[in-house]
Amino acid sequence: MAEETLVLFKNIRNPKYSKSLEGYKKAGGYQTLKKVFGMKPNEVVQTVKDSGVRGRGGAGFPTGLKWSFMPNGTGKPSYLIANADESEPGTCKDRELMLKDPHLFLEGMLIGCYAVGCHHGYIYIRGEFFPAIKSLNTAVEELYADGLLGPDPLGSGFHLDLTIHSGAGAYICGEESALLDSLEGKRGQPRVKPPFPAISGFNGCPTSVNNVETLACMPFILGDGGVEAFKSFGPENNSGTHLVSLSGHVNKPGVYELRMDVNMKDIIYGIGGGIRNGKKLKGVIPGGSSSSVMTADEVDVLYNFDELANIDTMLGSAAMMVFDEDTDVVQLLHRITRFYAHESCGQCTPCREGTHWSRNILRDFLNGNGSDEKLRRLDRVGGNMLGTTLCALGDAAALPIQSFVKKFPDDFRKYYANK
Amino acid sequence: MFSKEIQNQVNNLLSRYPIKQNALIPILLLAQKENNGWITEEWMQHVADCCEVPLTHVEGVVTFYTMFRLKPPGKYHLQVCTCVPCCLVGGTEILEYTEKKLNTHAGYTSADGLFSIEEMECIGACSYAPAMIVNEDYHEQVTPEKMDKLIDKLSK
Ligand SMILES: Cc1cc2nc3c(=O)[nH]c(=O)nc-3n(C[C@H](O)[C@H](O)[C@H](O)COP(=O)(O)O)c2cc1C
Ligand code: SF4
Ligand code: FES
């Protein structure tokens, strides 16, 4: 049976652990940073490349490669921004790290700042996360008091400041270019790319945006664990452990740290304790609300980037939402489309219009006004959003629609069959 | 308009960014807290002056983000999540239960001014659903019984 593999949660799962700076140091914390300060920044970037770690924020882009895009000698400051916006429905793992072991993430952030030559890093955290903001504030104050932040951390001479920046409620600000506009003090609307943030990011300067969990992997990769151990936790191209946010109709929902070669069935029936009330599984939304839905017949696969891409869905932010046989998928999809209609920033016509239309069509179904023609229209509205918009929210709204219609057609027909 | 203590926090925030405008959202959040949970035109002007941006820019920002409120909330602001994972395990029913109990609706405040309700998109606590935020605290695995207890406690 599958069980947790503890790398990021090593401290958190230790009942005696204290998350203070003292407690973290006692557990070996900030030793990796010390080692990293003895390396050249490009050696750090190369090590991260070698580890194969891919971004945990949703897109799965290789972090080492992203860092290698950061230009040198532009005469402008470089920035590293931690993406702590965590707003993808189903996802609640970064919060866990920030609440329960803030220094693990912060050490990773400091390592990242050194690697990309950033002397002032920002943590963009969603505004509703008050308890996590408090936890981070305390931890950052500890770092300044200790000298790990400021003019000369660990005698490195690498001046480093860190600022926690609170957002104010907008899912779209998790998208990295919208995040940058928001950080600059504007409405958070995605930018036209290129230029990418590495060339023109925060205030027009070279910037790398990295997810909290991605950064939290750094102390292991560059420290005691090392590249080979990190790679050994999953198949080729899917290295490391990852934090899985398990929710919905399982007996034991929770955030679990798993290797990348664990079968989804084992996650649902082993780790998750099976379906509540002895019900049968109907389906799973595997990687945040933006991913294509899977039926119960499809879950015999490894839960990682490539396996899920192979079956036309995605790992995304590793948020698994499990639903049982009694679930009304039309209602479920209606709730998902309501989310996107609420969160579309309105810049692109297909997304602005499509998210509202799809929600309205689904409302018609729920009100007893569904039809074959409307089902086809729903699918078409989804198709029109795919690949036609400035940012990935358009795709994110389209994929659930198209996959639900394709995989559960009878559930939609039930709504109007007897008329 | 800021108290001396908050003004210090504002100055500290301004010093953390290369450009004053960058500090706009965190300062607006401080202003909203200072003004008991909502923002007025007067406060917007004040923050605009702090950050050296036009008032119209501040208005554009305030209307974009859901955390900024243009009318006063209740003393206790209940933010009930009904997004996908919460919805799967009874979040919608919790919202309906709360609306009935307080005899008001999401978007409104109870007659005694004590409670306002807001329906939320995912608040990032999905594995502990159904979830809600009351002022600055998270409440998880909420049940009608827990809601009763909480409201009784806060009503006293
Ligand atoms: C609509 C939308 C919302 C997103 N929300 C988040 C988020 O809440 N947190 C996050 O880390 N990444 C989010 N992303 C992904 C970011 O754009 C970006 O890829 C990520 O922060 C990069 O970090 P990583 O490479 O470490 O994953 C979102 C993307 C889109 C299109
Ligand atoms: S796809 Fe939607 S959210 Fe993204 S920029 Fe266009 S309108 Fe805004
Ligand atoms: S859906 Fe309610 S906390 Fe995520």
Side-chain angles (χ1 to χ4, degrees):
Chain A
M1 196 183 102
E3 39 181 73
E4 284 196 295
T5 300
L6 300 180
V7 174
L8 305 178
F9 274 2
K10 198 178 84 198
N11 295 333
I12 291 180
R13 291 289 188 251
N14 173 1
K16 294 203 192 90
Y17 179 64
S18 144
K19 69 173 186 176
S20 65
L21 177 58
E22 199 194 335
Y24 183 66
K25 277 186 175 172
K26 240 189 232 156
Y30 291 104
Q31 289 301 319
T32 308
L33 181 67
K34 195 169 172 189
K35 179 179 161 198
V36 162
F37 279 144
M39 297 165 72
K40 291 206 182 74
N42 61 0
E43 290 168 354
V44 179
V45 173
Q46 188 58 47
T47 308
V48 174
K49 260 190 186 169
D50 293 343
S51 77
V53 61
R54 296 168 66 174
R56 307 297 198 231
F61 192 82
T63 307
L65 191 60
K66 186 188 276 188
W67 286 355
S68 73
F69 294 153
M70 291 288 281
N72 283 322
T74 57
K76 294 178 185 168
S78 294
Y79 291 106
L80 185 100
I81 316 287
N83 190 342
D85 194 53
E86 190 151 81
S87 316
E88 173 81 11
T91 319
C92 53
K93 65 194 175 69
D94 297 336
R95 184 182 80 133
E96 207 83 353
L97 287 169
M98 295 186 287
L99 276 178
K100 298 179 180 165
D101 199 8
H103 281 292
L104 176 74
F105 152 55
L106 290 173
E107 184 176 9
M109 172 116 195
L110 268 49
I111 292 168
C113 287
Y114 179 73
V116 303
C118 164
H119 293 279
H120 194 144
Y122 294 85
I123 300 169
Y124 185 100
I125 182 164
R126 64 177 297 178
E128 294 90 347
F129 269 176
F130 298 103
I133 293 171
K134 278 187 204 135
S135 167
L136 286 177
N137 271 330
T138 307
V140 167
E141 277 166 22
E142 287 176 318
L143 289 176
Y144 273 108
D146 187 87
L148 274 158
L149 282 173
D152 190 19
L154 299 171
S156 62
F158 188 82
H159 188 133
L160 187 48
D161 281 308
L162 220 57
T163 296
I164 298 161
H165 179 103
S166 175
Y171 166 66
I172 193 58
C173 291
E175 194 277 341
E176 59 182 13
S177 67
L179 181 151
L180 293 170
D181 265 24
S182 179
L183 185 64
E184 290 177 8
K186 303 174 186 158
R187 296 163 77 96
Q189 287 181 319
R191 300 175 179 177
V192 181
K193 283 157 271 186
F196 289 95
I199 304 303
S200 180
F202 180 45
N203 291 330
C205 300
T207 302
S208 173
V209 180
N210 298 95
N211 172 260
V212 168
E213 183 190 343
T214 311
L215 293 168
C217 294
M218 300 305 155
F220 183 88
I221 292 171
L222 287 136
D224 272 354
V227 164
E228 289 314 315
F230 193 78
K231 284 162 81 171
S232 75
F233 295 133
E236 172 97 40
N237 201 30
N238 294 274
S239 55
T241 57
H242 62 162
L243 301 180
V244 178
S245 315
L246 183 60
S247 68
H249 297 149
V250 285
N251 280 312
K252 293 192 284 180
V255 181
Y256 299 102
E257 180 169 20
L258 302 177
R259 295 168 56 102
M260 291 243 201
D261 54 9
V262 180
N263 192 294
M264 273 180 84
K265 266 166 70 178
D266 292 333
I267 302 178
I268 298 166
Y269 296 102
I271 303 261
I275 309 298
R276 296 194 319 187
N277 306 322
K279 299 279 181 193
K280 282 207 202 87
L281 176 70
K282 179 158 184 169
V284 183
I285 305 171
S289 64
S290 306
S291 58
S292 296
V293 67
M294 298 165 70
T295 62
D297 298 334
E298 294 176 300
V299 299
D300 190 6
V301 291
L302 300 187
Y303 191 58
N304 65 36
F305 291 108
D306 291 348
E307 288 264 327
L308 292 182
N310 274 341
I311 55 165
D312 288 328
T313 180
M314 62 181 189
L315 181 64
S317 53
M320 262 172 82
M321 292 167 270
V322 174
F323 54 93
D324 70 19
E325 55 186 330
D326 293 344
T327 308
D328 183 331
V329 297
V330 181
Q331 271 182 20
L332 182 57
L333 182 62
H334 174 252
R335 186 64 190 87
I336 295 174
T337 54
R338 250 183 73 197
F339 172 77
Y340 290 106
H342 185 255
E343 302 297 340
S344 166
C345 85
Q347 278 190 105
C348 323
T349 312
C351 170
R352 183 184 61 237
E353 302 291 323
T355 52
H356 283 82
W357 278 5
S358 51
R359 182 203 52 195
N360 291 349
I361 296 172
L362 282 156
R363 198 158 48 196
D364 283 352
F365 275 84
L366 295 179
N367 292 336
N369 298 320
S371 66
D372 278 336
E373 158 54 20
K374 280 187 183 162
L375 191 57
R376 281 194 299 272
R377 198 186 310 155
L378 179 64
D379 195 41
R380 220 164 40 232
V381 169
N384 287 342
M385 287 189 276
L386 259 186
T388 57
T389 55
L390 253 182
C391 89
L393 190 140
D395 293 351
L399 293 169
I401 295 173
Q402 296 207 308
S403 58
F404 269 99
V405 170
K406 182 170 160 208
K407 294 183 181 176
F408 299 102
D410 293 341
D411 289 69
F412 289 85
R413 287 192 195 110
K414 254 187 234 152
Y415 266 91
Y416 56 90
N418 300 326
K419 283 208 323 192
Chain B
M1 285 177 80
F2 286 112
S3 65
K4 198 157 170 229
E5 192 207 326
I6 306 289
Q7 187 62 48
N8 285 340
Q9 288 185 39
V10 169
N11 293 344
N12 179 48
L13 275 171
L14 287 167
S15 76
R16 306 297 298 181
Y17 300 87
I19 301 173
K20 284 188 172 160
Q21 178 187 305
N22 299 161
L24 177 59
I25 291 169
I27 292 178
L28 276 170
L29 287 167
L30 279 179
Q32 173 160 285
K33 202 166 170 181
E34 187 88 330
N35 191 48
N36 298 318
W38 64 300
I39 301 242
T40 58
E41 186 84 11
E42 206 185 353
W43 274 104
M44 284 192 237
Q45 183 62 59
H46 185 60
V47 175
D49 295 341
C50 287
C51 296
E52 296 174 2
V53 293
L55 176 63
T56 48
H57 180 85
V58 177
E59 285 168 345
V61 166
V62 164
T63 50
F64 185 82
Y65 295 95
T66 55
M67 278 177 75
F68 295 123
R69 287 184 289 268
L70 295 168
K71 56 180 193 182
K75 184 172 176 206
Y76 300 103
H77 188 55
L78 311 180
Q79 300 182 291
V80 183
C81 180
T82 65
C83 200
V84 183
C86 284
C87 170
L88 283 172
V89 296
T92 314
E93 290 74 15
I94 292 289
L95 176 65
E96 285 164 2
Y97 182 82
T98 313
E99 290 179 325
K100 226 181 195 162
K101 183 165 172 92
L102 296 173
N103 195 22
T104 185
H105 285 283
Y108 296 90
T109 304
S110 61
D112 58 7
L114 221 42
F115 297 99
S116 47
I117 309 177
E118 184 179 353
E119 181 177 10
M120 298 296 282
E121 295 297 351
C122 181
I123 56 174
C126 324
S127 293
Y128 312 96
M132 82 170 160
I133 306 171
V134 181
N135 294 352
E136 299 197 349
D137 295 324
Y138 271 71
H139 295 252
E140 296 169 351
Q141 289 167 335
V142 181
T143 57
E145 296 73 44
K146 281 192 192 170
M147 187 65 90
D148 284 344
K149 260 198 195 145
L150 180 77
I151 289 177
D152 286 351
K153 196 178 105 194
L154 297 180
S155 302
K156 283 205 182 109

